[in-house]
């Protein structure tokens, strides 16, 4: 570098030099808040561009600086009355000013102290450590131990790498009581002026992508959930270390932390997770949709998640593209539940939506998120919509969910829909057993139904032991509505039975024996005949066809499968087993 760049600026108030600055866009100059003080206007000149006259500017952005030498947020942005034809400063990588591998970078600052208030003077400096003072300033020392100190007139000057001429921060030293100089590094400047994120390099995040996210975040009101907790829920499942507790108190700070500290990689896109969570917190549905759209585009640009370690073996009969709906009771209110919708791509889990909802709003919210999940799943598999539900919700007719009753076909007539026991998914012992059972089930060409009829003298503990050796679908004649029937269904789930089917309604007396012909046993007869030639892995698809047939049925009596429930759980398609990420009482 043979000449000082033209983007160095001199800032004056009423004709008196107040400090330095540097051009970051064609009409924006960055300087210190203490340089302009309470003034609304300033004059700016560029000594490196002698043909350019002095310009006037408005103080467009003022940081949180409160007039003390150790106050944070000593940042101001001057908006020139007209753009200038000067190439703005370029920023270096966020870690470039710091010592690495025994090599120390020489930093140059260009200021206007007393005696040099017209032509300016340079100061050669170096950063002493990665450690920041009060998480705000990097300490500057003289490069050689003598020479020009970064005194008053250097406030607002760019801290520039001598070799590349790129900027690593802004000098703020202005108090004689501070022996060493200080600078605000670029990563801290962005906290105080978010628009600067578009200009500071963050590997993996293009400027346009950052700009769009920043504009969306600026429209989000302060969320009800503490930012620290929101941040941790987004990054912890991805193996990314969050900042120390209490380190983030503003939403933009969390976004910038991820932009600057967590480069995107396959299987770990924390900003997409954060954007989805924000989408479910904002009351503005339009803004929520824009945040989800950003997350989808971000995921698409950075590719699919890395494949999980546990995947379906080579003998699978069908390739599924799962969508998982998890619903759990909220400990805060008996009429409120936690709902989460995720999509699986190449064995990796992508959050689509997560929200605490009154029970009456769950159906429409879940159906909307399922629609969005279709944009995330693999296109080379058949969609499989799985509801992971509390045990006392398993009899809910989720396959018949629709937004407009009698005006559109239910969910279970569009896609294969199964239910799973949320409690069982959190127990690794049962998940291990299920994975082992499916290795055997994959080799079966038919499904021989194991019947639990109306007239059997079953006891829950004995039934659970009995079903441990049953590698076949289990059919119940009665739904889990009466207490005794719920106990028997629970015994099958704890066995664990990988496939359970039952009618949601029968004429059988709850908890009592029918002794012969009845709706429940008739249901099992029809079901056994239907399943006999169907491989277990094919059941979700075949039950879809059966539900279509039942929906189109117009006979005098309801179709025998009109209220059929299918619990079908192959953990290999849902490799991430964990509870909902949000605390039920949080």
């Amino acid at each position: 570098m043979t000449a000082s760049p033209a983007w160095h600026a001199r800032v004056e108030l009423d004709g008196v030099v107040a400090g330095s600055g540097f051009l970051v866009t064609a009409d924006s100059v960055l300087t210190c808040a203490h340089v302009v003080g309470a003034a609304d206007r300033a004059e700016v000149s560029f000594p490196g561009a002698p043909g350019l006259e002095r310009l006037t500017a408005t103080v467009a952005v003022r940081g949180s600086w409160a007039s003390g030498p150790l106050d944070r947020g000593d940042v101001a942005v001057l908006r020139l009355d007209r753009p200038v034809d000067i190439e703005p400063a370029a920023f270096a990588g966020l870690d470039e000013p710091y010592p690495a591998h025994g090599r120390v970078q020489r930093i140059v600052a260009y200021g206007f102290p007393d005696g040099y208030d017209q032509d300016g003077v340079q100061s050669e400096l170096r950063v002493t450590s990665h450690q920041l003072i009060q998480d705000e300033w990097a300490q500057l020392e003289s490069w050689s131990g003598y020479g020009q100190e970064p005194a008053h007139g250097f406030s607002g000057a760019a801290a520039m790498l001598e070799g590349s001429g790129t900027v690593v921060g802004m000098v703020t030293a202005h108090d004689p009581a501070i022996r060493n100089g200080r600078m605000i590094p670029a990563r801290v400047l962005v906290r105080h002026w978010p628009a600067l994120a578009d200009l500071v390099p963050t590997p993996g995040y293009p400027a346009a992508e950052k700009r769009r996210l920043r504009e969306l975040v600026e429209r989000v009101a302060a969320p009800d959930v503490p930012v620290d907790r929101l941040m941790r829920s987004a990054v912890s499942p991805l193996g990314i270390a969050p900042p120390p507790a209490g380190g983030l108190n503003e939403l933009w700070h969390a976004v910038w932390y991820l932009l600057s500290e967590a480069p995107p990689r396959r299987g770990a896109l924390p900003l997409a997770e954060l954007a989805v969570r924000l989408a479910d917190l904002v009351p503005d549905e339009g803004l929520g949709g824009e945040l989800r759209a950003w997350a989808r585009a971000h995921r698409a640009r950075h590719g699919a998640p890395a494949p999980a370690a546990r995947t379906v073996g080579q003998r699978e009969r069908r390739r599924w593209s799962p969508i998982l709906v998890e619903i759990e009771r909220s400990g805060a209110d008996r009429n409120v539940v936690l709902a989460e919708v995720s999509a699986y791509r190449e064995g990796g889990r992508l959050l689509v939506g997560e929200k605490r909802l009154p029970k009456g709003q769950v159906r429409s919210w879940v159906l909307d998120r399922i629609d969005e999940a279709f944009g995330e799943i693999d296109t080379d598999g058949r969609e499989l919509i799985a509801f992971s539900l509390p045990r006392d919700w398993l009899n809910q007719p989720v396959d018949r969910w629709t937004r407009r009753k009698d005006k559109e076909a239910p969910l279970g007539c569009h896609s294969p829909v199964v239910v799973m026991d949320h409690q069982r998914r959190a127990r690794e012992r049962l998940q291990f057993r299920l994975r082992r059972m499916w290795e055997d089930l994959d080799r079966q060409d038919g499904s021989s139904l194991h019947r639990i009829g109306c007239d059997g003298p079953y006891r829950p503990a004995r039934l659970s032991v009995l079903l441990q050796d049953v590698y076949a679908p289990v059919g119940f004649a009665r739904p889990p509505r009466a207490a005794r029937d719920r106990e028997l269904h629970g015994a099958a789930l704890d066995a664990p039975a990988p496939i359970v089917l039952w009618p949601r309604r029968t004429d059988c007396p709850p908890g009592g024996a029918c002794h012969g012909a009845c709706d429940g046993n008739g249901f099992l007869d029809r079901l056994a005949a239907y399943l006999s030639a169907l491989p277990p892995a094919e059941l979700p698809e075949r039950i879809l066809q059966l539900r279509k047939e039942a929906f189109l049925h117009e006979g005098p009596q309801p179709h025998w499968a009109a209220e059929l429930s299918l619990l079908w759980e192959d953990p290999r398609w849902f490799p991430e087993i964990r509870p909902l990420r949000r605390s039920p009482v949080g």
Side-chain angles (χ1 to χ4, degrees), residues 29 47 50 68-69 84 113 118 151 269 329 335 438 446 464 499 514 526 531 553 567 579 582:
V29 171
V84 294
Q118 294 303 310
L269 301 175
R329 287 182 296 272
N335 293 315
W438 273 101
S464 183
I499 305 169
C514 291
R526 301 290 295 269
L531 300 183
H553 178 72
L567 185 145
R582 185 183 297 180

Side-chain angles (χ1 to χ4, degrees), residues 10 71 88 109-110 127 133 149 165 171 204 210 242 256 284 290 296 308 324-325 344 353 434 439 449 470-471:
R10 178 175 59 228
D71 289 332
Y110 186 71
V127 176
I133 300 170
E149 292 290 335
V171 177
K210 290 188 290 185
W256 174 242
D284 183 345
E290 292 179 77
R296 287 195 298 272
L324 176 64
V325 180
Y344 281 83
L434 287 169
E439 293 176 4
L449 184 69
V470 174
Y471 286 45

Side-chain angles (χ1 to χ4, degrees), residues 226-456:
V227 173
D228 266 353
R229 188 193 304 170
L230 183 65
M231 173 79 159
R232 290 173 185 276
S233 69
V235 303
S236 296
L238 303 178
I240 296 171
L248 298 173
N249 53 20
E250 293 184 23
L251 184 56
W252 169 249
H253 293 175
V255 172
W256 174 242
Y257 177 85
L258 294 178
L259 284 168
S260 58
E261 302 290 346
R265 55 186 173 85
R266 292 182 74 232
L269 301 175
L271 278 171
E273 296 278 319
L274 185 64
V276 168
R277 281 169 170 74
L278 282 179
D280 292 321
L281 291 174
V282 298
D284 183 345
E285 293 185 3
L287 176 57
E290 292 179 77
L291 284 163
R292 290 191 185 92
W294 185 93
R296 287 195 298 272
H298 179 64
R299 285 168 171 164
R301 200 179 80 79
H302 292 288
R310 294 178 292 184
T311 56
V312 174
Q314 295 180 350
R315 295 181 61 90
E316 79 267 18
R317 298 188 179 264
R318 174 177 292 280
R319 177 172 176 80
W320 297 107
S321 293
I323 295 171
L324 176 64
V325 180
E326 292 184 274
I327 298 176
E328 180 62 287
R329 287 182 296 272
S330 170
D333 189 329
R334 62 182 299 178
N335 293 315
V336 174
V337 300
L338 305 178
E340 180 172 317
V341 178
S342 303
Y344 281 83
R345 190 191 305 164
E346 293 189 15
R349 183 172 179 172
L350 303 175
L351 180 67
V352 177
E354 178 192 60
K355 198 165 187 175
R356 181 181 287 108
L357 294 159
K359 290 181 179 179
Q361 298 178 16
V362 171
R363 180 182 305 190
S364 60
W365 184 88
V366 165
L367 292 175
D368 285 343
R369 299 295 82 75
I370 288 175
D371 281 351
E372 293 175 9
F374 276 88
E376 302 281 12
I377 59 176
D378 294 325
T379 58
D380 59 347
R382 175 61 149 132
E383 76 271 15
L384 174 66
I385 302 174
F387 283 77
S388 179
L389 303 170
R391 196 161 280 191
D392 58 356
W393 274 52
L394 290 176
N395 202 48
Q396 291 290 323
V398 292
D399 57 284
R400 298 185 67 85
W401 277 9
T402 180
R403 292 182 184 85
R404 298 177 300 169
K405 188 176 181 180
D406 299 329
K407 294 186 178 180
E408 61 182 27
L411 182 65
C413 288
H414 291 289
S415 302
V417 175
V418 301
V419 297
M420 299 188 296
D421 176 26
H422 189 75
Q423 176 180 323
R424 187 166 77 173
R425 277 181 47 76
R427 299 177 62 183
E428 275 292 351
R429 177 178 62 84
L430 298 182
Q431 295 295 303
F432 172 81
R433 288 290 313 280
L434 287 169
R435 289 192 292 270
R436 292 291 299 271
M437 295 176 82
W438 273 101
E439 293 176 4
D440 183 81
L441 291 170
D442 281 342
R443 293 189 287 269
Q444 297 183 16
D445 294 323
S447 299
S448 178
L449 184 69
H450 185 90
R451 301 168 60 111
I452 309 295
C454 289
D455 50 356

Side-chain angles (χ1 to χ4, degrees), residues 98-144:
Y98 304 107
H101 307 295
R103 181 172 177 266
V104 180
Q105 294 273 29
R106 191 193 303 255
I107 293 173
V108 176
Y110 186 71
F112 303 90
D114 292 341
Y116 300 94
D117 55 352
Q118 294 303 310
D119 52 349
V121 66
Q122 292 182 344
S123 179
E124 294 181 321
L125 308 162
R126 63 184 176 187
V127 176
T128 58
S129 171
H130 279 80
Q131 299 295 321
L132 298 182
I133 300 170
Q134 297 184 31
D135 198 34
E136 181 80 2
W137 300 281
Q139 183 169 301
L140 294 173
E141 292 180 350
S142 173
W143 176 259
S144 58

